[in-house]
Coordinates of all heavy atoms in Angstrom, one line a residue:
H627 N 95.2 102.5 106.7 CA 95.3 101.0 107.0 C 96.1 100.7 108.1 O 97.1 101.2 108.3 CB 95.9 100.2 105.8 CG 95.0 100.4 104.5 ND1 94.4 99.3 104.0 CD2 94.9 101.4 103.6 CE1 93.8 99.6 102.9 NE2 94.0 100.9 102.6
V628 N 95.6 99.9 109.1 CA 96.3 99.5 110.2 C 96.6 97.9 110.1 O 95.7 97.2 110.0 CB 95.6 99.7 111.5 CG1 96.4 99.6 112.8 CG2 95.1 101.2 111.7
V629 N 97.9 97.7 110.2 CA 98.3 96.3 109.9 C 99.2 95.8 111.1 O 99.8 96.6 111.9 CB 99.0 96.2 108.6 CG1 98.2 96.5 107.5 CG2 100.3 96.9 108.5
D630 N 99.4 94.5 111.1 CA 100.3 93.9 112.1 C 101.8 93.8 111.5 O 102.0 94.3 110.5 CB 99.9 92.5 112.6 CG 99.8 91.5 111.4 OD1 100.4 91.7 110.4 OD2 99.0 90.4 111.6
D631 N 102.7 93.2 112.3 CA 104.1 93.2 111.8 C 104.2 92.4 110.6 O 105.3 92.6 109.8 CB 105.0 92.5 113.0 CG 105.1 93.4 114.1 OD1 104.8 94.6 114.1 OD2 105.5 92.9 115.2
D632 N 103.3 91.6 110.2 CA 103.4 90.8 109.0 C 102.6 91.5 107.8 O 102.5 91.0 106.7 CB 102.7 89.4 109.1 CG 103.5 88.6 110.2 OD1 104.8 88.8 110.1 OD2 102.9 87.8 110.9
G633 N 102.0 92.7 108.0 CA 101.4 93.5 107.0 C 99.9 93.0 106.8 O 99.3 93.4 105.9
Q634 N 99.4 92.3 107.8 CA 98.0 91.9 107.7 C 97.1 92.8 108.5 O 97.4 93.3 109.6 CB 97.9 90.5 108.2 CG 98.6 89.4 107.5 CD 98.3 89.3 106.0 OE1 97.1 89.3 105.7 NE2 99.2 89.4 105.2
P635 N 95.9 93.1 107.9 CA 94.9 94.0 108.6 C 94.6 93.5 110.1 O 94.5 92.4 110.2 CB 93.8 94.0 107.7 CG 94.2 93.5 106.4 CD 95.4 92.7 106.7
V636 N 94.5 94.6 111.0 CA 94.1 94.1 112.4 C 92.7 94.6 112.5 O 92.2 95.6 112.0 CB 95.0 94.7 113.4 CG1 96.4 94.2 113.1 CG2 95.0 96.3 113.3
P637 N 92.0 94.1 113.6 CA 90.6 94.4 113.8 C 90.6 95.9 114.5 O 91.5 96.3 115.0 CB 90.1 93.4 114.8 CG 91.1 92.3 114.8 CD 92.4 92.9 114.3
T638 N 89.4 96.5 114.3 CA 89.1 97.8 114.9 C 89.5 97.6 116.4 O 89.1 96.8 117.1 CB 87.7 98.2 114.7 OG1 87.4 98.4 113.4 CG2 87.4 99.5 115.4
G639 N 90.1 98.7 116.8 CA 90.5 98.9 118.3 C 91.8 98.2 118.7 O 92.3 98.1 119.8
T640 N 92.5 97.6 117.5 CA 93.8 96.9 117.8 C 94.9 97.8 117.4 O 94.9 98.4 116.2 CB 93.8 95.6 117.1 OG1 92.7 94.8 117.4 CG2 95.2 94.9 117.3
E641 N 96.0 97.9 118.2 CA 97.1 98.7 117.9 C 97.9 98.1 116.8 O 98.2 96.8 116.8 CB 98.0 99.0 119.1 CG 99.1 100.0 118.9 CD 99.8 100.3 120.1 OE1 99.3 101.1 120.9 OE2 101.1 99.9 120.3
G642 N 98.5 98.9 115.8 CA 99.3 98.3 114.8 C 100.1 99.3 114.0 O 100.2 100.5 114.5
R643 N 100.7 98.9 112.9 CA 101.4 99.9 112.1 C 100.3 100.6 111.3 O 99.5 100.1 110.6 CB 102.4 99.1 111.1 CG 103.4 98.4 112.0 CD 104.2 97.6 111.0 NE 105.3 96.9 111.7 CZ 106.6 97.0 111.5 NH1 107.1 97.8 110.5 NH2 107.5 96.3 112.2
L644 N 100.7 101.8 111.1 CA 99.8 102.8 110.4 C 100.3 103.2 109.0 O 101.4 103.6 108.9 CB 99.6 104.0 111.2 CG 98.7 105.2 110.8 CD1 97.1 104.6 110.8 CD2 98.7 106.4 111.6
Y645 N 99.4 103.0 108.0 CA 99.8 103.3 106.6 C 98.7 104.2 106.0 O 97.6 104.0 106.4 CB 100.0 102.0 105.9 CG 101.2 101.3 106.0 CD1 101.3 100.3 107.1 CD2 102.3 101.4 105.2 CE1 102.4 99.6 107.4 CE2 103.4 100.7 105.5 CZ 103.5 99.8 106.7 OH 104.7 99.1 106.9
F646 N 99.1 105.0 105.2 CA 98.1 105.7 104.3 C 98.3 105.3 102.9 O 99.5 105.3 102.4 CB 98.3 107.3 104.4 CG 98.0 107.8 105.9 CD1 98.7 107.9 106.9 CD2 96.6 108.1 106.1 CE1 98.5 108.4 108.0 CE2 96.1 108.5 107.3 CZ 97.1 108.7 108.3
V647 N 97.2 105.0 102.2 CA 97.3 104.6 100.7 C 96.7 105.8 99.9 O 95.6 106.2 100.2 CB 96.6 103.3 100.4 CG1 96.5 102.9 99.0 CG2 97.3 102.2 101.4
D648 N 97.4 106.1 98.9 CA 97.0 107.2 97.9 C 96.1 106.5 96.9 O 96.6 105.7 96.0 CB 98.1 107.9 97.2 CG 97.7 109.0 96.3 OD1 96.5 109.0 96.1 OD2 98.6 109.7 95.8
E649 N 94.8 106.6 97.0 CA 93.7 105.8 96.2 C 93.9 106.3 94.6 O 93.2 105.7 93.9 CB 92.5 105.8 96.8 CG 92.5 105.1 98.1 CD 91.1 105.0 98.7 OE1 90.2 105.8 98.5 OE2 90.8 103.8 99.2
T650 N 94.6 107.4 94.4 CA 94.7 107.7 92.9 C 95.7 107.0 92.2 O 95.8 107.0 91.1 CB 95.2 109.3 92.8 OG1 96.5 109.6 93.4 CG2 94.2 110.2 93.6
G651 N 96.6 106.2 93.1 CA 97.7 105.5 92.6 C 99.0 106.2 92.3 O 100.0 105.6 91.9
R652 N 99.0 107.6 92.7 CA 100.2 108.4 92.3 C 101.4 107.9 93.5 O 102.5 107.7 93.1 CB 100.0 109.8 92.6 CG 101.2 110.7 92.4 CD 100.9 112.1 92.6 NE 102.1 113.0 92.4 CZ 102.9 113.4 93.3 NH1 102.8 112.9 94.6 NH2 103.8 114.1 93.1
G653 N 100.9 107.9 94.7 CA 101.9 107.5 95.7 C 103.0 108.7 95.9 O 102.7 109.8 95.7
I654 N 104.2 108.2 96.2 CA 105.4 109.1 96.5 C 106.2 109.1 95.2 O 106.6 108.1 94.7 CB 106.0 108.9 97.7 CG1 105.1 109.0 98.9 CG2 107.3 109.6 97.8 CD1 105.8 108.6 100.2
V655 N 106.6 110.3 94.7 CA 107.5 110.4 93.6 C 108.7 111.4 93.9 O 108.5 112.3 94.3 CB 106.6 110.9 92.3 CG1 107.6 111.2 91.1 CG2 105.5 110.2 92.0
Y656 N 109.9 110.7 93.7 CA 111.0 111.5 94.0 C 111.8 111.8 92.7 O 111.9 111.0 91.8 CB 112.1 110.6 95.0 CG 111.6 110.5 96.3 CD1 111.3 109.4 96.9 CD2 111.5 111.7 97.2 CE1 110.8 109.2 98.2 CE2 111.0 111.5 98.4 CZ 110.8 110.3 99.0 OH 110.2 110.2 100.3
H657 N 112.3 113.0 92.5 CA 112.9 113.5 91.4 C 114.3 112.8 91.4 O 115.1 112.7 92.2 CB 113.2 115.2 91.6 CG 114.1 115.7 90.6 ND1 113.7 115.7 89.3 CD2 115.3 116.3 90.7 CE1 114.6 116.4 88.7 NE2 115.7 116.7 89.5

């Protein structure tokens, strides 16, 4: 997902913040 400073998706070809979403729902787990 590429989003702007407000967390909203940006159009293709637009620079923004890069996020990866774990579609299993697990995400990151810390002990």
Side-chain angles (χ1 to χ4, degrees):
H627 293 256
V628 186
V629 300
D630 60 22
D631 289 345
D632 297 322
Q634 298 302 310
V636 299
T638 299
T640 306
E641 186 175 290
R643 296 176 181 237
L644 185 64
Y645 286 85
F646 290 94
V647 175
D648 180 351
E649 295 188 321
T650 68
R652 177 184 183 272
I654 293 174
V655 180
Y656 288 117
H657 171 69

